[in-house]
Amino acid sequence: MAVSVRDVAAAASVSVGTVSNVLNRPDKVAPATVERVLAAIEELGFVRNDAARQLRAGRSRSIGFVVLDVRNPFFTEVARGAETRAADAGLTVLLGTSDEDIERERVYVDLFEEQRVHGVLISPLADDLPRLQRLRDRGTPVVLVDRQAHDRSFSSVAVDDIAGGRLAAEHLLGLGRRRIAFVGGPESIRQVADRLEGARRAVAEVPDASLEVVPTENLTVLQGRAAGEVLRARPAAERPDAVFAANDLLAMGVLQALVMRGDAKVPGDIALIGYDDIDFAAAAVVPLSSIRQPAALIGHTAVDLLLREADADDDFTPEQVVFQPELVVRASTAG
Amino acid sequence: MAVSVRDVAAAASVSVGTVSNVLNRPDKVAPATVERVLAAIEELGFVRNDAARQLRAGRSRSIGFVVLDVRNPFFTEVARGAETRAADAGLTVLLGTSDEDIERERVYVDLFEEQRVHGVLISPLADDLPRLQRLRDRGTPVVLVDRQAHDRSFSSVAVDDIAGGRLAAEHLLGLGRRRIAFVGGPESIRQVADRLEGARRAVAEVPDASLEVVPTENLTVLQGRAAGEVLRARPAAERPDAVFAANDLLAMGVLQALVMRGDAKVPGDIALIGYDDIDFAAAAVVPLSSIRQPAALIGHTAVDLLLREADADDDFTPEQVVFQPELVVRASTAG
DNA sequence: CATCGATTTTGAATCGATTCATAGCAGATT
DNA sequence: AATCTGCTATGAATCGATTCAAAATCGATG
């Protein structure tokens, strides 16, 4: 059933080496021969077997990307950025979701290693760096995405989330708000912890300002709505006058809970800001202020670093790229 | 550098066959030997080379899934459904986006074929069925997702979009609305054409009802907003009293444009219904009525059909599964 | 002690594309 | 005619896990 190079070679009356050359270095083969071989390929319906190819080459032409959550538009945007850059280099990106589950993260990392991918991009869940270290030591380049490698042992692309948290909080404080609530969790996720830390620092600098944490179980719209309900259920006087949500999904949930019954006006009673600036943020009925991260650029850069590591000699020095987040003001924090 | 079964075998003083057996049929190997081999594997940091494995096996343990657009939450939901089902069978799902571009669709299909994937799930863009037919003839099972195979030559999982369109329109007509606008495009996308057709039929059955089409270039929030602007710019008397958007992304865009300046109230002045019932729909500030499709179930079923085809003998009969859509009423069409 | 059956282990052959040292060949040069 | 140059084409060897027929090992039984 399966048609191999050998069959093509026989049909075109050439050797297997020549077929391979037609496939990979057509300029090294006489034009007439190329034509004959291509005709045979067409006629037999030959399709290269990638497994055999990889086996010989040692590495695959794919990059594995393990993201925290495919349903978060921020990550799909990063993935798309990575994909276009990879395509330029003739590579493909394979996506895997850890769904904030350590076990699934491991499964994907192992799978990618068995596939001898060109490299692994990963937004690691927790601090399982030793595992990634081993992966790298065995020869698979690794780039951390959306996480800074503090010990400088890995290449990484990150956005300064502490600065982002500060940016959001300072914006709210600048509006004159003083009772700020941070909605987000769990704090084991580094992004959440950093954004909170940034906000804490900004609030600490303003004497009469306070910061309250409303924890969530994950970073979804549903959890945001639950957190919003908690706030809405309080007497008006005890509500915060500003909410900083750890990401836009949460913020949209909060928004819905607050505005649904008209109890609290956004931004009148409560100013609201999210994080990531996903497409839906601008499209919310009260367009959402947010902290923008250069998602596509992050993806691009991650692939660049990966390729640099893959092509490097032994004395490769990892590189840490940190982007600065940007405040985007919309109606939800107007006035 | 690379550690192979041969190295492990040497370290454990056994043959390569035994190492392979430990990996794949541990019950066939004496317990003491298993332990010795596992110790060697651990010590050397051996990782199976999947390419070699596949080469021998003939097929990979992955399923390729080509979706129209990863940024549409409906498709990521289908993909997740497929993924969980595939995981049960010990398979992995690799995602590729065609982004409504025929060329990219081809690239992914070719890639998956070269990888000898277990099978291909695809929401085909246009009618390039002959190409898929060839793929299937060469031995790769193919299941069409979100598209019905009218000629019954392929297995397929679809939702009756004509029924869905009718459902949406009848709901609006049932509210007493008579001047309905359909927002969506391009009509070359089958889903769009079918939903419109269903709406047309429903409207045709009500004497004084009319249907107007407001075309869009694609199915994004941005395009929805543009369409909404077009409607809002009209004198109030010339606006439709109901809008049916071809999907929820468009609907959310329309919603924002209409409500932004308070010119038109939803559902007071204009009732609005979308399609897909994505998570964001319920979370919109005016919660969006929609036509629900069983996304996860579609993914599950697609994988089931794929496995059935993969395990089948030569005389396999493709199966077409069609789900019925379901109306979900929320505030945007209340009253 | 020989024989038999069951269990465990062996290792050469295999999958298919690629590589590379070698050979073949035509035309140019001496 | 002999030698050299540049271009093409060749095909055995290779990558690493798996398979499977055959061999080895072990107990048990007559």
Side-chain angles (χ1 to χ4, degrees), chain A residues 168-183 231 239-245 251 254-255 258-259 264-274 286-290 327 329-335:
Chain A
E170 281 176 349
H171 173 55
L172 296 175
L173 292 167
L175 297 173
R177 311 292 167 132
R178 288 297 176 266
R179 297 193 318 284
I180 297 178
F182 176 85
V183 172
L231 296 177
R239 290 181 198 144
D241 56 10
V243 169
F244 169 29
V254 170
L255 181 62
L258 291 182
V259 180
K265 287 205 172 57
V266 174
D269 302 322
I270 300 182
L272 175 64
I273 187 167
V286 179
L288 199 63
S289 294
S290 195
L327 173 68
V329 179
R330 296 204 181 84
S332 74
T333 60

Side-chain angles (χ1 to χ4, degrees), chain B residues 38-52:
Chain B
L38 289 181
I41 287 177
E42 177 67 24
E43 181 183 328
L44 299 178
F46 166 77
V47 176
R48 251 214 206 76
N49 184 325
D50 199 50

Side-chain angles (χ1 to χ4, degrees), chain A residues 285-325:
Chain A
V285 171
V286 179
L288 199 63
S289 294
S290 195
I291 303 295
R292 176 178 300 163
Q293 312 198 72
L297 182 58
I298 291 173
H300 275 192
T301 310
V303 171
D304 283 342
L305 291 183
L306 191 71
L307 295 179
R308 201 169 306 163
E309 185 168 339
D311 297 339
D313 323 10
D314 289 339
D315 61 335
F316 171 74
T317 312
E319 193 174 332
Q320 289 82 36
V321 176
V322 178
F323 291 112
Q324 287 306 309

Side-chain angles (χ1 to χ4, degrees), chain B residues 5 25 46 53 56:
Chain B
V5 274
R25 292 173 227 81
F46 166 77
R53 214 176 171 207
R56 192 74 230 277

Side-chain angles (χ1 to χ4, degrees), chain B residues 166-178 180 202 206 209 242 333 335:
Chain B
R166 171 181 283 275
L167 217 50
E170 281 176 349
H171 174 55
L172 297 175
L173 292 166
L175 297 173
R177 310 293 169 131
R178 286 297 176 268
I180 297 178
V206 177
T333 60

Side-chain angles (χ1 to χ4, degrees), chain A residues 117-175:
Chain A
V117 291
H118 217 72
V120 168
L121 304 181
I122 182 169
S123 328
L125 196 55
D127 286 307
D128 200 1
L129 292 187
R131 192 186 183 76
L132 296 176
Q133 190 91 50
R134 280 202 301 279
L135 172 64
R136 229 248 318 250
D137 291 346
R138 288 199 214 97
T140 302
V142 175
V143 172
L144 307 185
V145 175
D146 206 24
R147 172 143 180 1
Q148 222 173 325
H150 288 296
D151 61 350
R152 310 198 159 256
S153 63
F154 285 98
S155 283
S156 65
V157 186
V159 177
D160 188 339
D161 279 316
I162 295 182
R166 173 180 281 276
L167 217 49
E170 281 176 349
H171 173 55
L172 296 175
L173 292 167
L175 297 173

Side-chain angles (χ1 to χ4, degrees), chain A:
Chain A
M1 186 69 230
V3 180
S4 75
V5 274
R6 227 163 297 274
D7 303 316
V8 174
S13 320
V14 297
S15 72
V16 293
T18 299
V19 175
S20 179
N21 281 334
V22 168
L23 257 24
N24 302 299
R25 292 171 226 82
D27 50 305
K28 296 284 175 198
V29 180
T33 312
V34 171
E35 204 145 330
R36 201 145 39 90
V37 172
L38 289 180
I41 287 176
E42 177 66 25
E43 182 183 329
L44 299 178
F46 166 78
V47 176
R48 252 216 207 73
N49 183 325
D50 200 49
R53 211 175 174 209
Q54 279 182 211
L55 175 57
R56 192 74 233 276
R59 296 253 132 224
S60 90
R61 306 293 298 160
S62 294
I63 292 174
F65 191 177
V66 185
V67 299
L68 281 180
D69 182 4
V70 263
R71 285 172 303 182
N72 184 335
F74 169 69
F75 282 112
T76 54
E77 200 59 39
V78 174
R80 276 175 48 81
E83 203 167 35
T84 56
R85 197 93 186 98
D88 293 344
L91 299 171
T92 317
V93 172
L94 304 179
L95 216 54
T97 324
S98 65
D99 266 327
E100 304 179 5
D101 174 351
I102 290 245
E103 202 38 55
R104 280 172 66 86
E105 175 176 306
R106 284 194 187 144
V107 168
Y108 273 108
V109 169
D110 287 351
L111 176 73
F112 287 145
E113 184 171 16
E114 288 193 359
Q115 294 188 344
R116 299 291 191 276
V117 291
H118 217 72
V120 168
L121 304 181
I122 182 169
S123 328
L125 196 55
D127 286 307
D128 200 1
L129 292 187
R131 192 186 183 76
L132 296 176
Q133 190 91 50
R134 280 202 301 279
L135 172 64
R136 229 248 318 250
D137 291 346
R138 288 199 214 97
T140 302
V142 175
V143 172
L144 307 185
V145 175
D146 206 24
R147 172 143 180 1
Q148 222 173 325
H150 288 296
D151 61 350
R152 310 198 159 256
S153 63
F154 285 98
S155 283
S156 65
V157 186
V159 177
D160 188 339
D161 279 316
I162 295 182
R166 173 180 281 276
L167 217 49
E170 281 176 349
H171 173 55
L172 296 175
L173 292 167
L175 297 173
R177 311 292 167 132
R178 288 297 176 266
R179 297 193 318 284
I180 297 178
F182 176 85
V183 172
E187 288 191 40
S188 62
I189 297 182
R190 197 220 25 107
Q191 286 87 335
V192 174
D194 280 4
R195 290 166 197 176
L196 173 56
E197 174 61 22
R200 278 219 170 92
R201 291 187 195 171
V203 168
E205 290 169 6
V206 177
D208 56 338
S210 67
L211 183 70
E212 165 195 14
V213 175
V214 181
T216 62
E217 289 168 23
N218 56 44
L219 302 172
T220 61
V221 174
L222 225 60
Q223 282 286 311
R225 206 175 340 161
E229 287 295 343
V230 168
L231 296 177
R232 199 178 58 79
R234 296 183 189 169
E238 292 174 23
R239 290 181 198 144
D241 56 10
V243 169
F244 169 29
N247 80 359
D248 284 346
L249 300 184
L250 286 175
M252 292 189 70
V254 170
L255 181 62
Q256 187 196 15
L258 291 182
V259 180
M260 199 156 50
R261 314 247 184 107
D263 285 346
K265 287 205 172 57
V266 174
D269 302 322
I270 300 182
L272 175 64
I273 187 167
Y275 208 107
D276 286 346
D277 193 31
I278 64 178
D279 280 349
F280 291 100
V285 171
V286 179
L288 199 63
S289 294
S290 195
I291 303 295
R292 176 178 300 163
Q293 312 198 72
L297 182 58
I298 291 173
H300 275 192
T301 310
V303 171
D304 283 342
L305 291 183
L306 191 71
L307 295 179
R308 201 169 306 163
E309 185 168 339
D311 297 339
D313 323 10
D314 289 339
D315 61 335
F316 171 74
T317 312
E319 193 174 332
Q320 289 82 36
V321 176
V322 178
F323 291 112
Q324 287 306 309
E326 188 187 335
L327 173 68
V328 178
V329 179
R330 296 204 181 84
S332 74
T333 60

Side-chain angles (χ1 to χ4, degrees), chain B residues 197-245:
Chain B
E197 175 60 22
R200 278 219 170 92
R201 291 188 194 168
V203 169
E205 289 169 6
V206 177
D208 56 338
S210 67
L211 183 70
E212 165 195 14
V213 174
V214 181
T216 62
E217 289 168 24
N218 55 45
L219 303 172
T220 60
V221 174
L222 225 59
Q223 283 285 311
R225 203 170 347 156
E229 287 295 341
V230 167
L231 296 177
R232 199 178 59 79
R234 297 184 189 168
E238 292 174 22
R239 291 181 197 145
D241 56 12
V243 169
F244 170 28

